[in-house]
Amino acid sequence: MTVRLPDEQSDPARARLLVVVAVPAEADAVLRGLGAGPRTPPGRVALPGGALDRVAHPSGVTVDVLAGGVGPGAAAAAAATALTAARYDLALSAGIAGGFAPRAPIGATVVATGIVAADLGAETPEGFADVTELGFGTVRHTPAPTAVALAAEALGAVAATVLTVSTVTGSAARAAALTARHPDAAAEAMEGFGVAEAAARHGVPSFELRTVSNAVGPRDRSAWRIGEALAALERAFALLPHPALVKEAGRG
Ligand SMILES: O=C(O)c1cccc(C(=O)CC[C@H]2O[C@@H](n3cnc4c(=O)[nH]cnc43)[C@H](O)[C@@H]2O)c1
């Protein structure tokens, strides 16, 4: 199936931002933050990767919000579909996340200084070895530092590594192992690395923004604060879109 998004982005003055979230509740929070109501066609487009909502933001940024599914595989497939269907200046993975205490408490916003695949590798007798150590591929994408600093200041956010995992951490031992290996990590989520890999293949820079719904550690569903995290996501997107940020992020 070949899909092309309408090229209403041909105005070179407008920056083009792709936001990939996992689930519709996150897309709704992002759209509320952008000041956009629930979308209907033609503002909403059905892609093979999921529903995509387009917002012509008054800041001069055209924002496409795509709910691509949970996990790095779904995120990569959805992002790649959108990146093939339209041109973007920046691909942003956004949504809720687990926060590493004490750096990122519930409700905190985190912008990624590094987007790191934390469980992509092999167990060896000496411990975990990531795919880079094994001699193939990368486990890290690095957003442009100036853009990270700009966004962190505008949002009052923590700027730190965000891990991408395929399995949500559910024990103190696993949280400690991740912290030991990634002392600079403030959050873990499940999609950032997938979006960044798809973007890299299209020559598009990537970025990640997360708001914290739960602490990384022993599994305790009663302690999740998804409403708080979605409210923080909405606040972040009320402040975030700015052509200068998209341009800075593209400087790599
Ligand atoms: O069943 C559990 O114990 C559990 C704990 C936390 C999150 C989940 C999810 O299924 C949410 C996955 C969804 O949300 C993002 N997310 C939110 N918190 C975390 C986390 O602590 N670790 C990894 N991902 C998290 C993630 O990006 C997914 O989109 C289940």
Side-chain angles (χ1 to χ4, degrees):
M1 180 180 184
T2 304
V3 183
R4 291 224 58 86
L5 288 167
D7 197 15
E8 68 186 42
Q9 303 183 80
S10 51
D11 177 356
R14 289 193 75 80
R16 298 156 306 211
L17 173 63
L18 173 64
V19 179
V20 183
V21 298
V23 295
E26 292 170 325
D28 290 346
V30 169
L31 289 166
R32 282 196 303 274
L34 295 172
R39 312 264 90 194
T40 49
R44 167 163 284 186
V45 183
L47 289 184
L52 181 142
D53 293 300
R54 175 163 290 175
V55 179
H57 195 264
S59 64
V61 182
T62 296
V63 188
D64 283 355
V65 183
L66 176 62
V70 170
T81 304
L83 287 157
T84 304
R87 291 178 301 116
Y88 295 101
D89 298 304
L90 179 66
L92 166 60
S93 171
I96 65 171
F100 287 94
R103 304 186 75 184
I106 286 173
T109 300
V110 181
V111 292
T113 52
I115 301 170
V116 173
D119 52 13
L120 186 60
E123 283 190 315
T124 77
E126 291 76 40
F128 177 78
D130 68 38
V131 291
T132 307
E133 292 163 325
L134 294 170
F136 50 94
T138 185
V139 289
R140 171 181 288 271
H141 292 276
T142 305
T146 322
V148 173
L150 262 178
E153 188 177 346
L155 304 178
V158 178
T161 296
V162 176
L163 305 180
T164 300
V165 293
S166 291
T167 303
V168 173
T169 296
S171 69
R174 170 87 177 142
L178 287 172
T179 304
R181 194 169 168 81
H182 306 283
D184 49 349
E188 73 163 36
M190 302 177 79
E191 294 83 22
F193 188 77
V195 174
E197 281 282 287
R201 280 158 174 71
H202 285 263
V204 172
S206 52
F207 209 76
E208 184 166 8
L209 184 153
R210 293 282 163 181
T211 56
V212 175
S213 55
N214 57 281
V216 177
R219 185 161 190 251
D220 177 9
R221 291 196 75 141
S222 69
W224 296 4
R225 296 290 177 267
I226 290 177
E228 269 186 57
L230 292 176
L233 193 62
E234 179 178 337
R235 283 195 299 279
F237 275 86
L239 297 170
L240 190 72
H242 195 286
L245 176 72
V246 177
K247 201 153 67 166
E248 278 304 327
R251 289 193 209 280

